[in-house]
Amino acid sequence: MCGIIGYIGKQQASPIVIEGLRRLEYRGYDSAGVAVLHENAIHTRKRKGKIDEGLAILAKEDPIVGCVGMGHTRWATHGLPTDENSHPHLDQSGNIAIVHNGVIENYDSLRKRFKKKGHDFKSETDTEVLAHLIGDYYAELSPEEKKEDATTHPLAQAVKSALKEVVGTYGIVVICKDFPDVMVGARRGSPLIVGIGNEENFLASDANAIVAYTKRVIYLNDYDVITLWQDNFKMETVTEGDSSYKISKIEYEAESAEKGDYDHFMLKEIFEQAQTVKNAIRGRLDYEESTAKFGGLNMTIAELRAVDHIVITACGTSWHAALVGEYLIEEMAHIPVEIEYASEFRYRNAPIEKNTLCLVITQSGETADTLAGLRESKRRGHKVLSICNVVGSTIAREADGGIYLHAGPEIGVASTKAFVSQVTVLTMFALLMGRIRMLSNRRGAQILKALEEVPAQIQKILEQNDKIKEIALKYSQCEDFFFLGRQYNFPVALEGALKLKEISYIHAEGYPAAEMKHGPIAMIDEKTPTVILLPTDGLYEKTYSNLEEIKARKGPTIAIVTEDNTHIKDKVDDVIYIPKTWECMMPLLEVIPLQLLSYHIAVARGCDVDKPRNLAKSVTVE
Ligand code: AGP
């Protein structure tokens, strides 16, 4: 996905756009560019690389003047990250500039059409083709349609006509040098929000880019087309005239989307996790009934009790949280749970029973595959609940109901606090579903008490950061890792492997501990460390024997154990102690040392922890 921002108002656009792009860089950072409209001319600058490696320097040394501007930070989908393929892109006339997040699927046929008309293209991108399409319709406007007091503004008219031909997804900002006081935005499938300021207005991919200027926002819906002036706006749709809209309020402060004193967003977000759990449980624990309660499920207790099957779709780290959810819900509520990779579920013809409840889990609320999984579930007539972090995101709005994480913005590309928050919410959801079935009041009370202790337990683990860093440095040059765990600990092993992979580029695999015997153990040698999740639980002896099998092949071992374990120290190469809690709560604690291990290894290897190569924070393309 990419980050886009537009500004129209009284201030100079360039500094606002550059700062907005910095706040959107986690969405993609292959290249960046800006365009500013001034005195009927469009001035563009675009560079391969991160913003501070080129664009920001230019903006400082040779600022572009103008109060209408837009910018783009790119995660490449079509064409290599080069200066030419960076956005903004211009139409054939050079009069219209656009920035775009999404994929124009029919760009090839459109490109051929324009090539035949003699158009020349400067890039390999689908976005440039869209710019030419808009420019083509603009050139063909009748004199009537070109009048600025027409019902639909001429630029918006050209955009609407062009978008009727588009197959694919878009979030776009468009400016035209004939109209120095107008900016047009439109979306389908890629997020775009409008910031309503005081004699200034904004367009952005998400709230982080504009929360410092305004908290009044409109979340655009698919097919919305908005025309913005400095002090006014007109909402339409691609096919209709005036369209409805709702002004919402951003819930968080600008500061919570900044690094503060931390070296990286990821480290800040790891250290926020005690508070993250508090935010997730706040107002949701019902001590009277020893259960949990949620305000936004939009389902009655009778409807929830009628659920006899649950399907959860997600991607990446959210999929790992879903896997913990499977163990939680099956244990507490005895409801069969199916976990599906959203990218597979959307095309698979999975037989789903009538009384199935579908959950989608997502930090961003914009992941294309997860959104498709939601729509597939709804298409089949099932209720869909979302567990999501971003208020007003597409998935949150299209679900029939849901639970917000309230974790605050997660900027680091590697998801950390969102995972802990998702597992906390799933624990409460499992408790709720269990208590309206056969889960006892006493057991419910134990779970509530254990949940309340988690923030302090997390804080205690975070205090071991220096010790964990020391261990991490010992293994930072290894090229292969294994992560092992059984039952509730297995999804955490997968999550630990993903964390290490995505920020340090080390090959890492997570497995159910016993599964190693069925092939993967062939990989073990003295250069291949294994991180083994070994809490004192009902399967301790079984998992301990897997540890012995690793050691018998000279594999280095790092054990994550509970504090009551007094004999493991001399049996492994390194050990990290964590507080003891119920087996079903262990994922919330075990994941913390794995996050810190990965973080310190990645830093030691000189990797860009917050913006790892090839990645983006939310994958809004297939
Ligand atoms: C996790 O560290 C990754 N950034 C990635 O796997 C992420 O979890 C996945 O893309 C899903 O994103 P979502 O939770 O926003 O849907």
Side-chain angles (χ1 to χ4, degrees):
M1 58 176 229
C2 306
I4 60 179
I5 181 168
Y7 174 80
I8 184 166
K10 312 181 294 295
Q11 302 183 65
Q12 286 303 310
S14 179
I16 291 173
V17 167
I18 295 283
E19 179 53 28
L21 290 181
R22 275 209 186 90
R23 287 170 170 266
L24 291 172
E25 254 199 322
Y26 66 103
R27 302 176 64 89
Y29 30 86
D30 294 328
S31 63
V34 298
V36 177
L37 183 48
H38 184 57
E39 289 173 357
N40 291 83
I42 296 177
H43 308 273
T44 60
R45 292 228 181 93
K46 46 192 196 174
R47 290 285 182 284
K48 178 187 175 194
K50 295 186 177 104
I51 287 168
D52 287 334
E53 291 165 359
L55 198 70
I57 298 163
L58 254 179
K60 217 171 186 165
E61 287 165 2
D62 177 14
I64 319 177
V65 175
C67 298
V68 180
M70 60 188 189
H72 181 277
T73 181
R74 183 173 184 238
W75 183 72
T77 55
H78 290 72
L80 293 172
T82 60
D83 291 355
E84 298 72 25
N85 285 338
S86 311
H87 302 208
H89 288 288
L90 302 177
D91 74 325
Q92 178 67 8
S93 70
N95 294 337
I96 290 175
I98 81 167
V99 288
H100 165 233
N101 177 23
V103 177
I104 307 300
E105 293 175 12
N106 59 331
Y107 89 100
D108 195 40
S109 57
L110 292 168
R111 188 185 173 97
K112 287 187 178 109
R113 185 211 299 180
F114 291 124
K115 292 288 270 185
K116 277 198 194 111
K117 287 178 76 174
H119 286 218
D120 57 78
F121 290 93
K122 299 179 176 58
S123 79
E124 309 155 273
T125 66
D126 55 340
T127 304
E128 190 182 9
V129 174
L130 176 56
H132 282 236
L133 184 62
I134 294 169
D136 215 40
Y137 274 105
Y138 179 68
E140 289 168 11
L141 288 178
S142 66
E144 271 310 296
E145 287 173 323
K146 267 202 170 168
K147 285 188 184 136
E148 280 209 73
D149 59 359
T151 317
T152 292
H153 188 277
L155 183 57
Q157 186 56 58
V159 169
K160 288 168 69 158
S161 305
L163 294 179
K164 283 176 188 151
E165 279 208 62
V166 161
V167 175
T169 57
Y170 55 81
I172 56 173
V173 179
V174 189
I175 57 177
C176 174
K177 70 180 192 179
D178 297 343
F179 308 106
D181 61 347
V182 164
M183 184 164 70
V184 172
R187 74 148 277 170
R188 177 177 182 269
S190 292
L192 193 64
I193 69 172
V194 184
I196 310 293
N198 176 16
E199 290 191 86
E200 56 185 11
N201 287 316
F202 303 79
L203 285 165
S205 302
D206 68 44
N208 288 342
I210 59 173
V211 64
Y213 307 100
T214 180
K215 290 198 173 169
R216 298 175 66 229
V217 292
I218 298 170
Y219 296 101
L220 292 186
N221 292 310
D222 281 353
Y223 302 107
D224 281 351
V225 177
I226 188 164
T227 306
L228 290 169
W229 291 265
Q230 175 177 316
D231 50 8
N232 194 6
F233 63 86
K234 178 180 174 60
M235 184 74 81
E236 300 172 78
T237 67
V238 171
T239 51
E240 308 297 328
D242 288 329
S243 167
S244 62
Y245 60 86
K246 177 175 166 252
I247 294 184
S248 305
K249 188 169 180 297
I250 298 172
E251 279 187 347
Y252 62 86
E253 300 303 325
E255 295 66 45
S256 58
E258 287 162 9
K259 259 190 304 198
D261 298 335
Y262 290 93
D263 291 341
H264 298 99
F265 278 106
M266 183 180 177
L267 189 62
K268 173 187 176 225
E269 288 150 12
I270 289 171
F271 273 80
E272 282 178 351
Q273 293 179 109
Q275 187 58 46
T276 301
V277 172
K278 288 177 187 169
N279 294 346
I281 64 179
R282 184 175 299 114
R284 291 170 168 169
L285 304 187
D286 180 341
Y287 301 96
E288 284 302 304
E289 303 295 330
S290 299
T291 186
K293 56 193 178 190
F294 298 103
L297 297 184
N298 300 337
M299 288 179 72
T300 64
I301 292 296
E303 286 172 324
L304 289 169
R305 194 175 285 123
V307 168
D308 58 19
H309 195 102
I310 289 177
V311 170
I312 311 179
T313 54
C315 302
T317 285
S318 297
W319 188 89
H320 297 150
L323 205 49
V324 178
E326 175 179 7
Y327 288 93
L328 288 163
I329 297 167
E330 289 187 346
E331 176 179 329
M332 292 189 198
H334 290 185
I335 300 172
V337 179
E338 200 74 35
I339 308 300
E340 294 274 1
Y341 279 114
S343 54
E344 287 296 302
F345 178 74
R346 65 185 295 189
Y347 297 114
R348 211 159 75 79
N349 189 18
I352 303 182
E353 286 81 8
K354 183 167 168 296
N355 292 328
T356 296
L357 172 63
C358 294
L359 302 183
V360 290
I361 300 180
T362 171
Q363 188 286 129
S364 63
E366 300 298 347
T367 301
D369 287 323
T370 307
L371 176 58
L374 175 152
R375 290 173 175 167
E376 181 61 17
S377 303
K378 290 185 80 169
R379 193 174 299 118
R380 297 180 179 201
H382 296 282
K383 277 249 186 221
V384 183
L385 300 182
S386 68
I387 296 176
C388 176
N389 192 36
V390 179
V391 174
S393 59
T394 306
I395 288 174
R397 285 184 291 144
E398 292 199 12
D400 297 307
I403 304 167
Y404 279 124
L405 302 181
H406 300 311
E410 184 178 70
I411 309 295
V413 167
S415 189
T416 51
K417 64 176 183 176
F419 174 82
V420 160
S421 187
Q422 287 163 350
V423 172
T424 302
V425 164
L426 285 162
T427 304
M428 292 188 286
F429 181 75
L431 174 60
L432 167 63
M433 297 299 271
R435 288 287 292 130
I436 60 175
R437 287 171 171 77
M438 54 348 101
L439 192 70
S440 71
N441 187 307
R442 186 174 56 79
R443 180 65 178 139
Q446 287 172 342
I447 289 165
L448 288 183
K449 184 172 180 302
L451 257 179
E452 283 219 298
E453 292 167 356
V454 166
Q457 292 169 328
I458 288 177
Q459 202 53 43
K460 198 172 173 192
I461 299 168
L462 292 170
E463 285 160 12
Q464 297 186 62
N465 181 39
D466 291 344
K467 175 179 183 303
I468 295 170
K469 179 177 176 180
E470 258 177 62
I471 295 172
L473 297 182
K474 280 176 65 176
Y475 301 93
S476 62
Q477 298 315 309
C478 294
E479 291 310 322
D480 297 284
F481 264 80
F482 277 103
F483 290 76
L484 304 181
R486 281 177 187 259
Q487 297 293 300
Y488 282 100
N489 313 305
F490 164 48
V492 184
L494 296 178
E495 175 58 12
L498 176 61
K499 285 288 94 44
L500 186 63
K501 262 185 281 210
E502 65 177 329
I503 61 174
S504 70
Y505 319 143
I506 291 173
H507 165 248
E509 296 188 59
Y511 272 99
E515 191 59 22
M516 279 294 279
K517 304 190 294 298
H518 304 283
I521 199 166
M523 292 286 292
I524 294 297
D525 59 22
E526 60 279 2
K527 298 191 303 299
T528 306
T530 296
V531 178
I532 189 160
L533 300 168
L534 194 57
T536 308
D537 62 15
L539 293 171
Y540 180 84
E541 297 308 332
K542 303 281 184 196
T543 310
Y544 186 79
S545 62
N546 301 136
L547 170 66
E548 292 287 6
E549 290 152 10
I550 302 284
K551 287 172 57 190
R553 286 142 184 98
K554 300 191 180 60
T557 49
I558 303 164
I560 313 294
V561 304
T562 39
E563 288 163 343
D564 57 337
N565 188 325
T566 54
H567 72 280
I568 192 80
K569 190 166 170 19
D570 303 328
K571 309 275 194 243
V572 292
D573 295 274
D574 288 282
V575 60
I576 298 170
Y577 294 94
I578 62 175
K580 188 164 167 56
T581 182
W582 296 98
E583 289 181 24
C584 61
M585 301 280 186
M586 284 315 297
L588 291 170
L589 303 185
E590 287 171 338
V591 75
I592 310 296
L594 305 193
Q595 294 167 345
L596 288 171
L597 276 173
S598 301
Y599 171 79
H600 290 302
I601 287 173
V603 170
R605 291 169 72 99
C607 298
D608 187 335
V609 170
D610 283 335
K611 299 174 204 136
R613 68 184 183 197
N614 309 339
L615 291 182
K617 181 59 184 170
S618 164
V619 185
T620 56
V621 293
E622 287 190 40

